[in-house]
Amino acid sequence: MSRLLRWYGANPLHLLALLACFALAGYAAVQFVGSRPLAVAVWFLGAVIGHDLLLMPLYALADRSVMTAIRHRTPALPATGWINYLRVPAALSGLLLLVWSPLIFRLSAAYQASTTLSPNPYVWHWLAVTGALFLLSAGAFALRLRGRPRPAAPPGEPSQERARAAAATGCDANASSQPGQERTAAQDPCLPRPDQDRPGTGQDDGESGRSTR
């Protein structure tokens, strides 16, 4: 059994779910083919020609174009996975457009005749759902960026806290970090004074000297 699972390469629940999907698809095919075999054959050929020969090259080209356009992204973006926040809403919007295209483009006259309803709201409903999908995806992407840890400042560059403190005191955060320019505490107020850094100097030294006498 373990050898079979290693050969399959996935969890047994995955295999059960796949078999259930095949069983459901087979049942639907038997029901439709038995009643309308010609319509099923036309639908299958249309799906193969329309999707594999027309739609798939188009959305593959669109995906590649977006990847090329945002190739020089900022370091704040995740290294991988950011494109999925564009792919998922675009794919769902395209699927809705494909399914409801006769009503969205007002190609079906039988709908209004049989339901006495106008197909005009369908295009606005599709646009509203598309906008909501992209807004939800943008919110999820913003939450992911917010949860990522901020990258540390590179060596040799002042951190944000040091830059803010230097701006508050009027000091130049980059002045003391430039190579070849040695500055003293009298010339640069940002540099610590010797009597403030070394413990036991100044008044403490005097008190310790008096205590040892």
Side-chain angles (χ1 to χ4, degrees), residues 145-169:
L145 288 181
R146 185 178 181 182
R148 293 179 67 240
R150 294 183 179 179
E157 296 183 3
S159 60
Q160 295 181 357
E161 290 77 7
R162 182 179 174 185
R164 284 196 294 267
T169 56

Side-chain angles (χ1 to χ4, degrees), residues 50-73:
H51 178 266
D52 295 348
L53 295 181
L54 297 178
L55 292 181
M56 186 175 179
L58 287 178
Y59 61 69
L61 179 62
D63 183 82
R64 183 66 64 179
S65 301
V66 172
M67 291 285 291
T68 304
I70 321 181
R71 179 176 299 173
H72 303 289
R73 56 187 181 276

Side-chain angles (χ1 to χ4, degrees), residues 11-12 26 35 39 42 53-54 105 114 135 142 153-154 159 162 207 210:
N11 195 283
S35 58
V42 171
L53 295 181
L54 297 178
F105 296 112
S114 58
L135 283 178
S159 60
R162 182 179 174 185
E207 294 179 357
R210 287 196 299 270

